[in-house]
Amino acid sequence: MTQKTHKVLKQAKSRALIDSDTYHDWYKQSVKNPEKFWGKHGKRIDWFKPYTKVKNTSFTGKVSIKWFEDGLTNVSYNCIDRHLKTRGDQTAIIWEGDNPYDDRKITYNELYDQVCRLANVLKSNGVRKGDRVTIYMPMIPEAAYAMLACTRIGAIHSIVFGGFSPDALAGRIVDCESTFVITADEGLRGGKKIPLKHNTDQAVAIAGRSDVVVKKVLVVQRTAGKVDWFDSRDIWYHEAVARAKPDCPPAKMKAEDPLFILYTSGSTGKPKGVLHTTGGYLVYVSMTHQYVFDYHDGDIYWCTADVGWVTGHSYIVYGPLANGATTLMFEGVPNYPSPSRFWDVIDKHQVNIFYTAPTAIRALMGAGDAHVTKTSRKSLRTLGSVGEPINPEAWEWYYNVVGEKKCPVVDTWWQTETGGIMITPLPGATDLKPGSATTPFFGIQPQLVDNDGDVLEGTAEGNLCITDSWPGQMRTVYGDHERFIQTYFSTYKGKYFTGDGCRRDADGYYWITGRVDDVINVSGHRMGTAEVESALVSHDAVSEAAVVGYPHDMKGQGIYCYVTLMEGATGGDELRKDLVRHVRNEIGPIASPDKIQFSPGLPKTRSGKIMRRILRKIAEDDFAALGDTSTLADPTVVTDLIDNRQNKK
Ligand code: WT7
C-alpha cells in the first residue's frame, strides 16, 4: 500500500490557522520543552482550580502518566456551560436522521438543559462519581447527552458500539462492573432496525451469570417498536428527563480522574478497557480538532464515525464541543437512500469540514462520480480520513472529485489508545503526499525501531513507537495495569509501541503500513484474530481455528478463517453459513468471516506454535513466497492448505 515515488501537493498560503513556519516553530518548542508548551496550551480549557504541575510521566518501571495533575475541571462544563454566554443560541449539534426528512438542531442552551436533566436522572437513580455507566445507543443526540451527563457528575462511561452482540455487550458490562445501562428501543440504519433493547435484555441476563447485576436500564424511545419491559429495572428516558430538574452543578474533577473506558481489540485475549482521563484528554482533543481540521469559529463540522468508536468520542463530541463548534451527528449509512447521501447532507447543512474513513471513500468511489458531481459541495474546505491506511487511488479521488482540488486531505493516524490525532498534515502548513499521514502533531515524537529494538534513523521502515508522553494518551487498562505495561511498554523498553509498521521517507514523512501484530483492520474496525478464533472454537463442530487478515478491495482487510473440525463433522457451505452466523452472534456483524477454509491440519512448529506467516501468505494467494517450511512438525499440511485455498485469483 505504500509507493516509493509519489507526488507532492504544495499547500498555498491560506487563511489557515497554522502555516509551515509556525508548525516547525511550535513543533520544536513542543518537544524541547513540553512543560512550557503544554503549560501554555492547557489553558485552552477552563479550570476551576488552575494546575501548577504540567507533566509527570514515566514510560519505564510501573509506567505512570499524569498531566495537569493538581488542576480541577469538568468536561461537560467545558463543552457546554462556558459557551452559554457567547453562543447559547448557536447550534451545538445538527442531527441528521437515517431518513433524509428527519433532522434536528440542538442549541448550546438546549444541550445544557438536556444534559443537566439527564445528569439528575442518573443521580436520582444512585449513579455516583466513579461509577461505570454503559451506553449502547444508536447515533442520536441522546448518545451525546448521555456521555456529557456522565462527565457532569464524574461517572465513567463505557460506550459499546450498537453493532456488537449481546455477548460482547455482556462481556464489557462485566469487565467494568457496570450496573447502569443507557440504550434505546431500537436503532435505525439504512432503513433497517437494530433491536438494542432486546440485545440489552439478553446481555443483562448473561452478565447476571457472572454476578454483575444491572440495576437500571434507561431506554430512549427511538422507533416506538415493541420491547419487553421489566418494571423494577427499566425506565423510559423521556419520562424521567421530563420530571428531572433542569440544573445540575458540574462536579469538580481532578485532571487525572477517569473520564471514560472504551474497549478495543488487541493481539491476544479479551478486548482491553482503554482508560482515558479528564484534563489532558480534553486539552489534546480540542487542540487537535482546531488545528488538524483548521476549525474556525462558525464552521459546520461533520465526522461520520459512530460514537461507539474513539473517533466519535474525540471528534464528534468532546473536541468539537469543547471548541464551541457546530458538530453534525449522522444516524445513517453512506449509501442510503443513495450513494449521494454524504454529499447531499454536506449541501443541506453547508458542511465546511468533513471527516470520514477510507472504506467509505472506496465504496463511494465504486458507485461512480456522477453521485458526487451532481451535488455542489461548495461549502467544503477541509477533508479528513481516519481508521486505516488510505490507498493513493482513493486519496486522489477524494481530493480531485469530492474536494475538486480545493480542499486539503488530512490523513490522520492515531489509535483508541492515543486519544487523539498523532501524525497528520495541518491544512495550509503541510505539503501533501497521497497515502502518507505526513508529519507528527505538536508534542508527538515518533520513532522507528527494528525487531531487535534498534533505532532506525533517516529513510527507513520499521515498527512505530512514540518516545514520550502526550496529554491525550491512555493511562491504563481498566482494572489491569500490568496488562497496560505488558502490551505497550515491554516490547521496546521505555517506549510506547503502537503495533503499527511504518516507513519514513527522505522528507521525514511517515507512511503507516498497517499492523505488525495479530490485529486486523476490517473497514476501519479493529479486530483481534484471537477473538474471532475463540468465537469459532466455541462452535460444537470446531476443534481448532486460526484467523488471519488478507487484502480486501473495499474493506482494507478481510477475515480469513482456517477451521479444523471435530471428528465426525463435515465441512461444506451449510456449515460455513452456520459458522458465520455463530461468529456474528458471538461478536457482531463486523466480525463476519469473509472466507472459511476447512483444513485437516494447521501448520505448526514442533513446539505446537501455529505459523501464521504461512497462513497469511496462503490467504493472500501468494504461496510461491511461503519461505522456510522446514521447521514445521508436518510439512505436508501445507500442500493441502494450498490446494484448498479459498482466495484463488
Ligand atoms: C489502528 C487504530 C484512530 C481512530 C480510529 C481507529 C489504523 C488508524 C490510520 C491512518 C493508517 C491508520 C492503525 C492503528 N489506523 N488511522 N490514518 N493511516 N492506519 O482506531 O480502532 O484504535 O485502530 O487503526 O493500524 O493502529 P483504532
Side-chain angles (χ1 to χ4, degrees):
M1 230 175 244
T2 58
Q3 47 177 38
K4 300 280 182 245
T5 55
H6 38 68
K7 68 169 143 204
V8 179
L9 286 123
K10 293 272 179 212
Q11 291 300 294
K13 273 218 165 21
S14 63
R15 68 176 192 120
L17 297 167
I18 305 274
D19 61 16
S20 172
D21 291 343
T22 315
Y23 166 72
H24 290 289
D25 189 34
W26 285 25
Y27 183 76
K28 254 182 244 137
Q29 293 174 30
S30 73
V31 297
K32 211 173 117 211
N33 193 344
E35 293 270 346
K36 189 167 165 212
F37 183 84
W38 291 111
K40 176 173 159 213
H41 290 284
K43 292 187 187 131
R44 59 180 296 120
I45 68 167
D46 287 0
W47 298 85
F48 300 133
K49 176 178 168 282
Y51 49 85
T52 61
K53 270 188 169 155
V54 175
K55 181 175 188 280
N56 181 6
T57 67
S58 160
F59 282 4
T60 56
K62 292 250 162 284
V63 183
S64 163
I65 297 156
K66 291 180 181 151
W67 286 88
F68 312 114
E69 59 187 296
D70 60 344
L72 294 176
T73 184
N74 179 283
V75 168
S76 95
Y77 178 88
N78 274 286
C79 291
I80 310 172
D81 306 41
R82 69 163 173 163
H83 306 311
L84 295 181
K85 247 199 224 133
T86 51
R87 54 178 98 241
D89 291 324
Q90 181 202 304
T91 301
I93 299 174
I94 299 174
W95 179 71
E96 169 78 14
D98 187 51
N99 180 326
Y101 297 103
D102 222 356
D103 59 19
R104 222 152 90 199
K105 288 185 173 156
I106 296 108
T107 65
Y108 274 96
N109 281 328
E110 287 162 345
L111 186 62
Y112 174 86
D113 179 77
Q114 290 294 322
V115 169
C116 284
R117 284 175 188 272
L118 181 54
N120 285 326
V121 171
L122 297 180
K123 270 190 186 169
S124 63
N125 281 288
V127 179
R128 300 281 173 263
K129 198 184 250 191
D131 289 354
R132 279 79 55 213
V133 172
T134 298
I135 300 176
Y136 183 62
M137 296 268 267
M139 284 290 288
I140 53 178
E142 288 80 359
Y145 305 162
M147 296 163 78
L148 290 162
C150 287
T151 74
R152 197 157 189 92
I153 64 171
I156 306 167
H157 61 69
S158 161
I159 308 191
V160 179
F161 173 58
F164 277 123
S165 69
D167 268 306
L169 173 59
R172 287 153 173 80
I173 289 173
V174 169
D175 184 79
C176 67
E177 298 172 285
S178 163
T179 63
F180 196 101
V181 180
I182 310 179
T183 189
D185 49 3
E186 294 174 312
L188 199 56
R189 286 185 88 224
K192 292 196 204 83
K193 289 176 174 169
I194 300 134
L196 296 175
K197 171 66 163 66
H198 178 72
N199 290 352
T200 303
D201 292 342
Q202 284 182 283
V204 169
I206 300 166
R209 287 180 227 144
S210 305
D211 287 335
V212 173
V213 180
V214 170
K215 293 189 200 120
K216 296 286 171 198
V217 177
L218 189 63
V219 188
V220 179
Q221 197 168 54
R222 168 66 188 97
T223 63
K226 210 176 127 11
V227 292
D228 291 335
W229 202 256
F230 303 91
D231 277 329
S232 60
R233 188 198 74 190
D234 297 344
I235 309 165
W236 280 116
Y237 182 104
H238 57 280
E239 292 178 4
V241 161
R243 282 194 304 264
K245 279 192 305 183
D247 288 296
C248 173
K252 293 200 166 69
M253 304 302 290
K254 295 193 198 111
E256 287 301 336
D257 279 337
L259 178 63
F260 66 81
I261 300 165
L262 184 56
Y263 287 87
T264 194
S265 299
S267 47
T268 55
K270 291 187 302 174
K272 292 180 289 282
V274 168
L275 185 87
H276 282 287
T277 58
T278 301
Y281 172 82
L282 196 63
V283 168
Y284 196 72
V285 297
S286 70
M287 182 153 169
T288 45
H289 172 262
Q290 181 181 2
Y291 293 120
V292 172
F293 300 109
D294 191 40
Y295 169 75
H296 291 248
D297 206 14
D299 281 347
I300 310 290
Y301 163 88
W302 181 18
C303 164
T304 68
D306 190 287
V307 291
W309 310 114
V310 75
T311 311
H313 287 63
S314 301
Y315 299 112
I316 294 177
V317 178
Y318 292 126
L321 294 179
N323 290 337
T326 297
T327 183
L328 194 149
M329 197 174 178
F330 177 45
E331 184 181 34
V333 294
N335 57 358
Y336 177 84
S338 86
S340 284
R341 186 68 192 274
F342 276 178
W343 329 121
D344 287 340
V345 172
I346 287 170
D347 285 350
K348 178 179 176 186
H349 297 294
Q350 291 295 294
V351 171
N352 306 111
I353 301 166
F354 179 69
Y355 190 30
T356 195
T359 190
I361 298 168
R362 284 192 296 266
L364 296 173
M365 180 168 85
D369 294 5
H371 292 288
V372 187
T373 52
K374 72 177 202 205
T375 62
S376 156
R377 287 154 290 111
K378 240 198 158 108
S379 54
L380 284 177
R381 209 179 65 242
T382 309
L383 295 172
S385 171
V386 61
E388 52 178 315
I390 179 165
N391 46 314
E393 302 70 40
W395 194 104
E396 299 271 1
W397 184 81
Y398 199 29
Y399 183 79
N400 293 324
V401 180
V402 176
E404 297 180 7
K405 302 184 176 27
K406 287 183 284 219
C407 311
V409 169
V410 289
D411 173 5
T412 62
W413 174 84
W414 58 295
Q415 313 178 291
T416 305
E417 293 89 337
T418 70
I421 295 165
M422 302 283 280
I423 301 181
T424 178
L426 301 184
T430 314
D431 293 333
L432 306 171
K433 296 185 190 184
S436 171
T438 77
T439 48
F441 190 73
F442 307 125
I444 305 305
Q445 303 184 57
Q447 190 177 69
L448 302 182
V449 300
D450 66 15
N451 289 342
D452 300 325
D454 289 328
V455 177
L456 305 169
E457 309 283 358
T459 312
E461 181 162 346
N463 304 305
L464 178 63
C465 294
I466 312 289
T467 59
D468 199 2
S469 184
W470 62 100
Q473 185 173 22
M474 75 183 280
R475 303 304 199 249
T476 192
V477 170
Y478 186 79
D480 196 349
H481 195 68
E482 195 48 45
R483 193 173 175 198
F484 176 60
I485 302 171
Q486 275 308 317
T487 309
Y488 302 105
F489 302 93
S490 69
T491 317
Y492 306 109
K493 283 253 166 319
K495 293 166 194 175
Y496 169 78
F497 176 44
T498 64
D500 278 321
C502 182
R503 185 165 69 83
R504 186 174 44 223
D505 70 17
D507 296 325
Y509 274 41
Y510 291 87
W511 301 72
I512 309 295
T513 55
R515 303 287 304 198
V516 294
D517 54 10
D518 292 322
V519 171
I520 53 183
N521 192 324
V522 185
S523 301
H525 301 318
R526 190 163 146 178
M527 187 68 46
T529 50
E531 281 170 76
V532 185
E533 287 163 6
S534 102
L536 285 166
V537 297
S538 72
H539 188 285
D540 286 342
V542 177
S543 100
E544 199 172 21
V547 173
V548 296
Y550 71 98
H552 188 287
D553 284 347
M554 282 299 158
K555 302 180 178 183
Q557 282 187 297
I559 302 179
Y560 194 114
C561 309
Y562 296 88
V563 172
T564 307
L565 297 176
M566 294 286 193
E567 290 261 337
T570 34
D573 281 344
E574 271 316 302
L575 183 56
R576 277 203 182 85
K577 273 190 210 142
D578 198 48
L579 290 175
V580 170
R581 208 175 312 132
H582 182 72
V583 172
R584 291 170 69 100
N585 283 338
E586 291 282 310
I587 304 173
I590 56 170
S592 299
D594 295 283
K595 308 273 179 192
I596 296 177
Q597 174 170 356
F598 297 111
S599 49
L602 295 170
K604 290 184 188 166
T605 61
R606 278 174 213 111
S607 61
K609 196 169 155 358
I610 294 177
M611 290 184 75
R612 291 172 169 279
R613 177 176 53 82
I614 293 174
L615 295 177
R616 271 187 220 114
K617 286 288 176 197
I618 295 172
E620 285 168 24
D621 199 21
D622 183 20
F623 50 87
L626 278 188
D628 185 14
T629 56
S630 64
T631 53
L632 287 176
D634 175 9
T636 61
V637 295
V638 173
T639 320
D640 175 81
L641 286 168
I642 292 174
D643 289 346
N644 293 301
R645 68 193 187 279
Q646 298 292 303
N647 203 16
K648 288 191 192 114
K649 284 188 192 122

